[in-house]
Amino acid sequence: MADTMATAGAGSSGTRSGGKQSTNPADNYHLARRRTLQVVVSSLLTEAGFESAEKASVETLTEMLQSYISEIGRSAKSYCEHTARTQPTLSDIVVTLVEMGFNVDTLPAYAKRSQRMVITAPPVTNQPVTPKALTAGQNRPHPPHIPSHFPEFPDPHTYIKTPTYREPVSDYQVLREKAASQRRDVERALTRFMAKTGETQSLFKDDVSTFPLIAARPFTIPYLTALLPSELEMQQMEETDSSEQDEQTDTENLPLHISTDDSGAEKENTSVLQQNSSLTGSRNGEESLIDNPYLRPVKKPKIRRKKSLS
Amino acid sequence: MPPTGLEPARMNRKKGDKGFESPRPYKLTHQVVCINNINFQRKSVVGFVELTIFPTVANLNRIKLNSKQCRIYRVRINDLEAAFIYNDPTLEVCHNESKQRNLNYFSNAYAAAVSAVDPDAGNGELCIKVPSELWKHVDELKVLKIHINFSLDQPKGGLHFVVPSVEGSMAERGAHVFSCGYQNSTRFWFPCVDSYSELCTWKLEFTVDAAMVAVSNGDLVETVYTHDMRKKTFHYMLTIPTAASNIALAIGPFEILVDPYMHEVTHFCLPQLLPLLKHTTSYLHEVFEFYEEILTCRYPYSCFKTVFIDEAYVEVAAYASMSIFSTNLLHSAMIIDETPLTRRCLAQSLAQQFFGCFISRMSWSDEWVLKGISGYIYGLWMKKTFGVNEYRHWIKEELDKIVAYELKTGGVLLHPIFGGGKEKDNPASHLYFSIKHPHTLSWEYYTMFQCKAHLVMRLIENRISMEFMLQVFNKLLSLASTASSQKFQSHMWSQMLVSTFGFLKSISNVSGKDIQPLIKQWVDQSGVVKFYGSFAFNRKRNVLELEIKQDYTSPGTQKYVGPLKVTVQELDGSFNHTLQIEENSLKHDIPCHSKSRRNKKKKIPLMNGEEVDMDLSAMDADSPLLWIRIDPDMSVLRKVEFEQADFMWQYQLRYERDVVAQQESILALEKFPTPASRLALTDILEQEQCFYRVRMSACFCLAKIANSMVSTWTGPPAMKSLFTRMFCCKTCPNIVKTNNFMSFQSYFLQKTMPVAMALLRDVHNLCPKEVLTFILDLIKYNDNRKNKFSDNYYRAEMIDALANSVTPAVSVNNEVRTLDNLNPDVRLILEEITRFLNMEKLLPSYRHTITVSCLRAIRVLQKNGHVPSDPTLFKSYAEYGHFVDIRIAALEAVVDYTKVDRSYEELQWLLNMIQNDPVPYVRHKILHMLTKNPPFTKNMESPLCNEALVDQLWKLMNSGTSHDWRLRCGAVDLYFTLFGLSRPSCLPLPELGLVLNLKEKKAVLNPTIIPEVITGNQETAINPSGHAQLVGFQNPFSSSQDEEEIDMDTVHDSQAFISHHLNMLERPSTPGIHLGVFNLEGKEQSPLEMSMHPVATAPLSVFSKESTSSKHSDHHHHHHHEHKKKKKKHKHKHKHKHKHESKEKDKEPFTFSSPASGRSIRSPSLSD
């Protein structure tokens, strides 16, 4: 009883708070049952001669009725289980009713009373069929080493890969075209955005939007931006350092051959240089080898001597 | 120079073998410079100097030193207070002279002012009186220690502070300061003897913030913290005797890099730039090795420092054992174009370390030797590093430059001699400035001077062989290094000074050859040679009849007499002939070696021994001559205009291996727009062995030829298919390959070809649509992702190409340019420019090359009427805070706008910037650009030319630019370009319509009515534009006799000087105004000091003696000053013994009446 109450309450509160949200099937079921009980209560009240009832009292009565019926069910189930059965029998119910202090003998007469109202059975709605999960292909049977009580394999589509063979765009021209227009579009979009969001200058007095120029902004230290390579360039440099220049259409060219050779030589050079610098670095550590006055430590002022001099 | 007593005219130009004779009555042996406080916030410097001098004459009673800008607090000699006066006539060149506006007058006055403080004439701005207590001491020629306390507040020149306005401490902000200037400019930041000929040893101390480094000359002995540990003192010792002008300083939060190859070399750069510094200087040791090897001499100093600073005055400045470079020379390994330029700068500065810093010059007229030698060995380095082709190309370029400049201006004189004979030989009468001092020279002249100097050195080498040449250099260096090690024999130090005489003597000793004629021709004389050559082939005699004419009458030319090499390429080979050019022989017969035999198939031997097959079908069947070259080795400073047939030029282009010959033939082929020329040029373009610069210039020639041939041109636009073949993908010819700049030759070609192609025009004189699309495609498909190098220069050139393709807009009724009527092609161009310019804000390119090109392109669009002409964009880019290259490009556009739109407002804006911009280089550059592209010139009517502008410019050069020699000379250049030598035409007639003849006591009406009189004047001869009356007015005072005028003004300014002395000495009780002004600190002391003066009889007598000799002219001068204001009074004062002189002067305007004066007018000295 308490359970159902709770669930009913939760259900109603859920609907209330949820507003128009569609409720789940269990909630629907509770609501339907409750509605039916309400109809029962109302008809009983009508039978008893009430012309109207406050909603709250109807609710209370419904609640009581529901509790009562639930208790009958629960007790009946207990009795039946007590006798090691799973299905309650009529006698279980009777014992229950008796136990609850109900005079069972009055029941047939009450059931057959003349002024009783007949309530149409609620429309039977089919239990909503839970849609079967999409099955694609047949599940794989368990291999022999897996006991059969283990869950089945999931649907094949969840683990089988199907390689697709779409013709890649290999046409050099198209690729270049694409790369070029992509870059151009990005650049244009970016610069337009910057222009829109910041101050601009224009070459035409009558039109400031067609060719917006991002306004010139002086730097506090102009040489830094002008001289230091941008991060992008640094990145590029690292990349090109490791990767040779490759170009499918250009490989047939002689000059490229030479140039790759060059880059090889260049790399050697740089490595030599690096060695050198590392050498000097290590020498730097020794300090004594490089005698450069700018590397010497700064001396402390000679206070005492001066005093003694004076 | 006029012997005015004060100025020892004998100076040091003695050609005798006596060696160096100091113009100063003392010898400086040691100087201490101590700067104990540098305030970056206030841009001020406080310090003292101490000079140790030995008098060389008894009764030395005053010592003249150089000092500008400095505020001198106190002078002590041997711990005794000394009186001093500070007078700098160059601060304001022409005093109280409101009416004089002609440049002639100014230049003379300026030269006079400069020589009045010239240390090489024994003068100086600061005159210190030796206290009487020391006279005895002096008479014994004992040592004097002069201690001067000074400060410098917001210096406008000499020291340049760079203080970025950001948060943080000065070190964090990258604030730095460095010394800069043109020639001897050390006096701008501490008192010294600012001469290249006064050598001494140095002790330099700089106390700076602990986070900063002070870099200066000599060895860093130690670095010591101050007591509060907040500052450090850098102690430098320079034991090699060095001139004050070679002392430098740079202080900043530098990053320090010890050269990995040479540990005694240290490099400094501003914060964050260390990686660039590493790369940039990684090459320097090779330069060192090269110079040491060829000179067989160790680098003279024990250490070397390079400092890279922002807002540099010049790109390279060499000082004793250190060089200051512009930080913009730094570059990373990705940059191609800047690398050779930076290396050149490094090499240049190092060459000057040997010649210029270590070896100094005796006098200004010996400057050419130093510039010549350093330029020459720098050339040798170029040859070794970049190859013979590059070297020859460079020599040719330099030669063309100097020739063009001399022909334009009338000559560059390497070794001016200013002897006593003052009238006759003013060596630079064709110039509007004096060449007597480095500080009066136009910057351009000085650049050309250096150029000529090294070319002449090359001529000497041609004459005596390189081996001897290097021996001479070695001799000079070893003499100097022996002398420099004589620590206590300062008289030996003069061995470290080079003079023209010493140099020539050394040459004749070493080589045994007489090069006097060569020196006379190119060093003692200005001008270049202009040859016109043509030839005919005499078939009967089998002789080549060569005619070589010379033009030696136009300005800047001189007559050449002597040998001239002619190379004739015949079918049988190449033959050299040496012709003797003589006075009247024009024709030279050269026998030919080969008979004409065009059908025989035989290889043709070239000059270099190579034998080649040639298609001889284009040749003249009768002649065996393939091509002829005059002076192929450029052993004369000349311009050759030679006539030969087009096929000969084409053969020369294809088969002559000398790049200079190829260059010349390309130039000549411009005049022969034929299919054969086209073919020859295309072949050269394709030839990979050919020197890339030749191929580059072939591009432009081809464009010109194509334009001339436009109606008959067949096939695709010139160079397009070539470019496609070389740089585009095989499979899709409209797409350029992804960038790969590994081969620099093809990189340069790839950059240049589109720029040249954009110059093509179709029959409607428009750039062919095909070409424009082609360039746009290049930009579109440009892909640098896989490239090892940056493509910023390449992209910049693509924008240049776009700009080149722009042609004038078709304008209907001068309608206002709006977006709607924009030409669709221009719209595409503008689209690209906009995108590029905007992208630069997000991803800036190295040195902002792309912004620079975009700004130029926008100006081109404006000029051609596609976009409304408007300077606001450029003005915003010209502001301080942009990278200097951007600023210059923007300013160039504003200058151009000022000219085209005749905008007074912009001109004012520019002038304002010249006066107020924080960067000296930018100020200089604006003046330079205005001079190159002037808003108007002297013979032009312009609304801009008005009195206010004249006054403004006059003020600028008269007093506004006294802190920067280069700037002042730049202002003079501009004034000359705008107004010429004489009084500007826009000035109203002077109020005084009368000219007074003071002698004859009568007034004569406006001399306009007697224009013939003034035709004798130099000015009118130069500028016959019809304001003779004005000239006539000034005539008696400034222009009638140029030479005498110089004297007068010299006297005037030195006289001002003297009068101060006299003031000081004669009226001791009332401190002279100058004392009051300049001796701020010592005010309280001055009465005390002054009281000594009456006692000082001996010096007084000296003063008066000296001044008497100049008195007459002095008074004369006064007289003519006053004359201006109160013309009626002055005749009373006019009773000195200078009668004859003044008489002549006063008479001048009226000489038309007397036959004698007629002679003087027509005298040869004037009709120059």
Side-chain angles (χ1 to χ4, degrees), chain A residues 64-99:
Chain A
M64 287 166 69
L65 183 60
Q66 180 173 319
S67 307
Y68 193 77
I69 293 173
S70 299
E71 179 54 27
I72 293 172
R74 196 190 59 80
S75 296
K77 191 164 174 263
S78 302
Y79 282 117
C80 109
E81 282 171 355
H82 187 68
T83 47
R85 280 178 282 111
T86 54
Q87 293 282 326
T89 59
L90 181 64
S91 56
D92 290 331
I93 306 286
V94 172
V95 174
T96 305
L97 288 173
V98 172
E99 188 68 20

Side-chain angles (χ1 to χ4, degrees), chain B residues 614-804:
Chain B
M614 288 187 204
D615 173 17
L616 299 174
S617 55
M619 268 183 82
D620 180 358
D622 297 332
S623 148
L625 300 171
L626 282 164
W627 66 83
I628 300 164
R629 296 185 61 207
I630 294 177
D631 187 29
D633 297 331
M634 299 178 281
S635 45
V636 178
L637 302 185
R638 84 301 190 261
K639 178 189 176 117
V640 178
E641 285 177 21
F642 187 64
E643 286 172 31
Q644 61 181 1
D646 57 345
F647 67 86
M648 298 176 84
W649 289 118
Q650 288 151 13
Y651 280 126
Q652 183 174 333
L653 175 60
R654 281 170 191 267
Y655 301 110
E656 171 63 65
R657 296 297 182 235
D658 179 9
V659 292
V660 175
Q662 292 172 351
Q663 206 80 331
E664 280 167 354
S665 51
I666 285 174
L667 201 67
L669 281 179
E670 274 175 22
K671 296 184 206 87
F672 301 102
T674 61
S677 301
R678 175 184 171 182
L679 198 63
L681 288 165
T682 325
D683 286 351
I684 277 291
L685 256 181
E686 275 182 289
Q687 235 179 65
E688 299 219 345
Q689 294 94 327
C690 185
F691 185 47
Y692 76 102
R693 287 186 191 271
V694 171
R695 294 166 82 192
M696 281 159 74
S697 47
C699 291
F700 290 99
C701 182
L702 198 54
K704 279 184 194 150
I705 287 189
N707 290 344
S708 313
M709 292 171 66
V710 66
S711 51
T712 58
W713 188 268
T714 51
M719 290 173 276
K720 179 158 182 256
S721 48
L722 204 63
F723 189 93
T724 310
R725 198 154 62 239
M726 292 166 84
F727 303 110
C728 291
C729 301
K730 293 276 178 290
T731 48
C732 31
N734 66 323
I735 297 181
V736 66
K737 283 180 203 164
T738 54
N739 294 342
N740 176 3
F741 297 155
M742 282 302 201
S743 157
F744 295 156
Q745 281 96 329
S746 42
Y747 161 69
F748 280 108
L749 208 59
Q750 188 178 358
K751 271 196 329 176
T752 311
M753 262 207 233
V755 180
M757 279 173 75
L759 292 168
L760 293 174
R761 296 291 179 263
D762 63 11
V763 275
H764 309 293
N765 208 19
L766 298 173
C767 182
K769 181 78 186 163
E770 203 182 343
V771 171
L772 182 62
T773 322
F774 176 73
I775 297 169
L776 289 171
D777 272 351
L778 287 182
I779 295 173
K780 181 177 167 191
Y781 293 117
N782 177 44
D783 185 346
N784 206 48
R785 280 175 301 179
K786 302 276 183 192
N787 200 357
K788 198 172 171 334
F789 298 102
S790 167
D791 67 341
N792 63 310
Y793 286 93
Y794 174 70
R795 282 187 289 156
E797 297 232 13
M798 290 305 117
I799 299 163
D800 294 345
L802 287 179
N804 273 355

Side-chain angles (χ1 to χ4, degrees), chain A residues 176-177 187 245 253 294, chain B residues 236 737 781 786 835 876:
Chain A
R176 288 292 301 276
E177 175 76 51
E187 285 184 5
Q245 300 228 333
N253 277 347
Y294 294 94
Chain B
Y236 284 92
K737 283 180 203 164
Y781 293 117
K786 302 276 183 192
R835 199 166 46 83
S876 72

Side-chain angles (χ1 to χ4, degrees), chain B residues 330-341:
Chain B
L330 295 174
H331 59 87
S332 70
M334 290 158 59
I335 307 299
I336 298 176
D337 300 50
E338 183 62 38
T339 309
L341 301 179

